[in-house]
Amino acid sequence: MFLMIVQSFIKLFVFLWAHARLLLTLLVCLTIMIGLLPVATLWLSKEMINEVAKIIQLQVGDYRYAFFLLSLQFLIAMATSVLLNIQQYLNGKLENVLELAAQSLVLQKVESVPLFYFDIPDFYNHLERVHLNVGTRFLSPFTILLEIVRASITIFSFLLFLLTVHWSLVILSLIAAIPVFFVQIRFGSINYWLRYGLTPLIRDIQYTSFLLKDRQSAKEIRLFGLGQMLLKRWSTSMTHQFTETLKVLRKQQATEVGLDGFTALLYFGTAGIIIWLIRTTSMQIGEFVAIGQAVQGTQGLTNQLSNQSAKIFGEILYINDFFNFIEYEHPEKDASDEGSALFPAPLQQGIFIKGLSFTYVNTTNPVLRDIHLHIRPGEKIAIVGENGSGKSTLVKCVMGLYPISQGDISFDGLSISQIKPDDLRKNMTVIFQDFIKYAYTLQENIGFGDAERINDLKWMQEIAATSGVDQIVSKLPDGYQTYLSRYLQEGTDLSGGQWQKIALARALFRNSDIVILDEPTAALDPMTELSVYQLVRNLTENKTTLFVSHRMAAAKMADRIIVMKDGQLVESGTHDELISLNKEYAQMYHAQAQWYATPVESR
Ligand SMILES: Nc1ncnc2c1ncn2[C@@H]1O[C@H](COP(=O)(O)OP(=O)(O)OP(=O)(O)O)[C@@H](O)[C@H]1O
């Protein structure tokens, strides 16, 4: 634990130093100055009271000296205010700098992790814990530490002053801090673990609240009348979260009352000693007031110091959690070292899948089993099979989205593990079943297919013309600059078929030799789907195309059809070959042919 705290502190300071060394230095200097001001004030008020007492009691005394002290007091009060306000401003500035730096670290991490991390709920929980108010959380241990330094300087100077009066005052002032310190450490830790344990519940709450607020889900929630049920789920979880938090808060406040009693007792003891000192020594009124202030100040500050030291413990657990997230590497990622070779474009021999088996992370059953397949350059392959047979998983493996542990996929003999992931993806384009409908402009919706060419409007118009998007553009109020949703700006909503064409244009905007379509037409009616596949076929004349479909009529257009069943490749051939084989494919084809025929026959 101690090692963890030290390591986290070192990481925190390396991080702070890297991003804000000037601010950091300024804040440390300010803190030292602010820390010395109280003892100066104490000394001044002691001098002042003694001088005023002389004037009142003896009618002698130096008025000019009293005014001089008064002016100094005024200057110190002003200096304190100026320094404290500068400190607050610098803190605010530092918080912004840290928020930016730490949030970018989190987002960079999320952007760079392999896709399978998104299959691990713990990864989300961890992300949820670390991504909120990072700037404040990062600043907190540092400001607490500065507070500790400031309080220590003041306490030390007060203690020196008290030591000149009597050693017992020093002891009593310090004793007050011990129980506070341990109590605060205990609750710092309890609160951290409470937050840790509640993260899955908090994510559940946020998800339910997102569903209630989301435009996409608004329709279905109304249609199925889910609103009240979701609200109840949300409020039950919220109540549970509050109950747990309040339980700890109740205990903490009760303990604080006990601590306050203890501090009051100690102050009672100290007051006794001061009275005894007045009786036994020749003490002036200024000293008496200054001792009272110093004792009270030391006790208050030592309590504060204990509080802060304990609080820093809770905060450092967060910092540790943050760096654990940033540095987290799943063992499977270690096993799949990224390749550095360039993709062998254009393909001469094709894609080879040899003995490929695949199991998703944190699961036990293989989803793909011993797949062997050779895809020739320019070949159009349709992948068919029942739900859950592994079609999407197979194409995701070909895209390099998941590391392969058994078997291999190679491109012209170069194993996928040897190819640089970025370069592999540059040479492929894809439309997923659940492609993203970006709430940005049309230009961005198409241009995201190849972000480097996003401003190449000539190329975009060419693609729009071939994919049929030009007909959509002509009806949009701001052409390519029209927002395709009302989520961010006053934009235009499109139909499913129109979105489909835009997704197709996005995929084709990336002019790559391999095109993968993972059932992107599922939302379309069969006739539109067929016309989309026809279009794709024409647009991808010389490209290697892999497409997943449930519609046998679309599969028929492929050069070759492969049939998946329970993670295995069970049939492969042309439509005619598979029909004459009269097995899986033939059954599915006839079942669908029958399905299409029924309404016609019943007319
Ligand atoms: N991210 C994942 N983590 C764990 N299991 C998964 C994941 N994705 C898919 N699976 C499982 O892998 C199996 C194959 O899924 P896959 O999506 O490849 O099938 P599919 O043939 O494309 O299905 P469909 O036709 O319904 O789209 C299914 O049993 C599914 O539950």
Side-chain angles (χ1 to χ4, degrees):
M1 180 62 98
F2 178 71
L3 193 67
M4 181 277 281
I5 292 177
V6 174
Q7 278 173 346
S8 303
F9 253 119
I10 293 172
K11 283 181 191 166
L12 173 69
F13 278 103
V14 170
F15 183 84
L16 291 175
W17 192 248
H19 293 96
R21 67 189 63 173
L22 182 65
L23 277 172
L24 218 63
T25 317
L26 280 173
L27 277 166
V28 171
C29 295
L30 271 174
T31 305
I32 294 172
M33 282 153 79
I34 295 170
L36 289 170
L37 288 172
V39 78
T41 314
L42 190 76
W43 179 82
L44 274 174
S45 53
K46 180 197 80 164
E47 286 290 300
M48 184 72 192
I49 293 168
N50 283 342
E51 206 55 41
V52 172
K54 262 193 241 166
I55 295 170
I56 295 171
Q57 289 166 1
L58 311 171
Q59 296 295 317
V60 289
D62 190 345
Y63 280 94
R64 273 193 311 188
Y65 183 55
F67 272 115
F68 170 70
L69 290 173
L70 207 60
S71 316
L72 272 185
Q73 250 178 347
F74 170 76
L75 283 180
I76 287 184
M78 280 315 295
T80 310
S81 163
V82 170
L83 292 179
L84 281 175
N85 281 299
I86 294 179
Q87 190 190 34
Q88 279 216 342
Y89 169 74
L90 292 181
N91 269 340
K93 191 165 170 180
L94 186 59
E95 191 177 322
N96 288 344
V97 172
L98 295 181
E99 183 76 37
L100 187 71
Q103 284 275 17
S104 355
L105 262 187
V106 173
L107 294 179
Q108 273 164 25
K109 174 72 182 182
V110 174
E111 191 267 338
S112 67
V113 297
L115 189 69
F116 74 84
Y117 278 40
F118 290 91
D119 298 332
I120 310 170
D122 267 359
F123 178 74
Y124 284 108
N125 289 338
H126 207 160
L127 173 62
E128 195 52 49
R129 280 201 308 277
V130 301
H131 97 284
L132 284 176
N133 307 322
V134 206
T136 328
R137 306 303 301 273
F138 257 82
L139 186 62
S140 186
F142 174 69
T143 39
I144 295 176
L145 200 67
L146 285 188
E147 279 299 298
I148 291 176
V149 171
R150 186 184 65 80
S152 307
I153 291 173
T154 312
I155 291 172
F156 186 69
S157 53
F158 277 176
L159 287 180
L160 277 184
F161 174 76
L162 288 177
L163 200 61
T164 60
V165 184
H166 198 270
W167 58 267
S168 61
L169 296 173
V170 176
I171 304 282
L172 278 178
S173 303
L174 285 177
I175 284 179
I178 296 167
V180 181
F181 180 72
F182 286 108
V183 166
Q184 293 300 333
I185 290 254
R186 192 171 131 67
F187 280 102
S189 159
I190 289 178
N191 277 315
Y192 171 81
W193 290 113
L194 175 72
R195 209 169 53 226
Y196 190 98
L198 286 176
T199 314
L201 183 76
I202 293 171
R203 279 191 53 225
D204 194 303
I205 293 170
Q206 285 172 345
Y207 180 68
T208 313
S209 131
F210 159 80
L211 280 182
L212 285 164
K213 290 183 287 188
D214 180 49
R215 183 170 178 233
Q216 286 293 101
S217 43
K219 279 181 289 197
E220 194 160 321
I221 288 175
R222 274 152 190 76
L223 189 77
F224 289 125
L226 299 177
Q228 286 307 316
M229 195 202 78
L230 287 176
L231 260 173
K232 190 157 176 263
R233 179 187 175 117
W234 175 84
S235 69
T236 312
S237 305
M238 281 291 265
T239 314
H240 181 61
Q241 184 202 350
F242 288 151
T243 315
E244 293 303 307
T245 320
L246 286 175
K247 242 191 251 170
V248 174
L249 193 62
R250 247 196 326 270
K251 270 192 207 156
Q252 191 169 355
Q253 296 315 124
T255 319
E256 297 275 344
V257 172
L259 283 178
D260 284 346
F262 178 72
T263 314
L265 266 180
L266 283 176
Y267 190 68
F268 182 74
T270 317
I273 294 178
I274 297 176
I275 293 170
W276 170 73
L277 283 172
I278 291 174
R279 279 193 57 195
T280 52
T281 59
S282 58
M283 195 182 277
Q284 290 190 40
I285 179 93
E287 270 83 18
F288 171 71
V289 174
I291 291 169
Q293 280 177 357
V295 168
Q296 227 173 1
T298 311
Q299 285 187 351
L301 283 168
T302 39
N303 275 358
Q304 209 181 325
L305 201 73
S306 311
N307 273 331
Q308 304 285 34
S309 313
K311 214 164 131 199
I312 212 167
F313 173 78
E315 295 298 322
I316 213 70
L317 286 176
Y318 167 82
I319 298 294
N320 179 50
D321 204 27
F322 178 91
F323 284 111
N324 279 347
F325 178 79
I326 297 296
E327 289 159 10
Y328 174 73
E329 297 282 351
H330 192 277
E332 214 154 297
K333 178 156 189 265
D334 291 343
S336 66
D337 273 348
E338 288 186 351
S340 55
L342 291 183
F343 185 85
L347 285 181
Q348 304 295 330
Q349 298 145 34
I351 308 171
F352 297 85
I353 302 177
K354 286 186 192 149
L356 172 68
S357 294
F358 180 80
T359 306
Y360 279 103
V361 71
N362 292 355
T363 63
T364 46
N365 287 340
V367 171
L368 297 177
R369 287 184 287 152
D370 198 27
I371 308 263
H372 289 267
L373 179 67
H374 173 210
I375 305 163
R376 286 180 291 277
E379 197 177 12
K380 316 266 176 284
I381 300 252
I383 308 172
V384 299
E386 54 200 30
N387 291 123
S389 54
K391 303 180 295 293
S392 298
T393 308
L394 178 62
V395 293
K396 280 182 196 150
C397 287
V398 172
M399 285 184 259
L401 291 176
Y402 289 108
I404 299 168
S405 49
Q406 220 180 321
D408 195 22
I409 297 176
S410 61
F411 298 84
D412 276 3
L414 190 63
S415 168
I416 196 164
S417 58
Q418 294 173 279
I419 304 174
K420 216 169 142 194
D422 278 357
D423 206 52
L424 176 73
R425 278 165 215 146
K426 250 188 210 159
N427 284 281
M428 289 183 187
T429 193
V430 61
I431 317 181
F432 289 109
Q433 191 170 2
D434 49 356
F435 60 83
I436 305 184
K437 298 169 181 171
Y438 296 98
Y440 298 142
T441 62
L442 174 62
Q443 182 180 352
E444 285 161 308
N445 266 284
I446 300 176
F448 281 179
D450 187 353
E452 285 170 18
R453 289 181 83 176
I454 196 164
N455 291 318
D456 188 346
L457 287 183
K458 196 162 162 283
W459 173 235
M460 196 170 284
Q461 278 158 358
E462 234 174 87
I463 292 294
T466 47
S467 60
V469 167
D470 52 352
Q471 290 156 13
I472 306 172
V473 184
S474 62
K475 292 187 195 119
L476 294 175
D478 298 315
Y480 284 97
Q481 299 313 319
T482 310
Y483 273 80
L484 299 188
S485 156
R486 291 171 208 273
Y487 185 64
L488 297 177
Q489 302 251 345
E490 195 51 54
T492 305
D493 277 326
L494 299 178
S495 72
Q498 287 171 320
W499 270 116
Q500 189 60 60
K501 286 187 179 154
I502 289 167
L504 181 63
R506 175 158 70 235
L508 295 175
F509 191 70
R510 168 171 295 207
N511 196 8
S512 59
D513 284 343
I514 302 173
V515 180
I516 293 172
L517 298 105
D518 186 1
E519 219 189 331
T521 49
L524 302 182
D525 63 80
M527 294 317 288
T528 320
E529 185 189 22
L530 271 185
S531 64
V532 169
Y533 275 114
Q534 197 67 54
L535 184 65
V536 170
R537 191 166 174 118
N538 297 339
L539 294 176
T540 58
E541 195 57 53
N542 303 315
K543 300 179 189 253
T544 311
T545 314
L546 269 177
F547 67 91
V548 176
S549 180
H550 278 114
R551 305 259 167 82
M552 299 309 134
K556 212 172 152 182
M557 281 194 272
D559 300 331
R560 191 151 49 115
I561 299 163
I562 61 167
V563 184
M564 305 273 302
K565 192 176 182 184
D566 295 333
Q568 284 178 309
L569 198 162
V570 290
E571 286 171 35
S572 167
T574 63
H575 169 76
D576 293 340
E577 283 167 0
L578 295 184
I579 288 291
S580 47
L581 193 64
N582 201 21
K583 285 191 170 169
E584 292 290 329
Y585 177 78
Q587 270 176 24
M588 286 192 282
Y589 184 82
H590 291 312
Q592 287 196 1
Q594 225 172 17
W595 182 59
Y596 286 126
T598 312
V600 180
E601 283 163 4
S602 62
R603 253 181 235 159

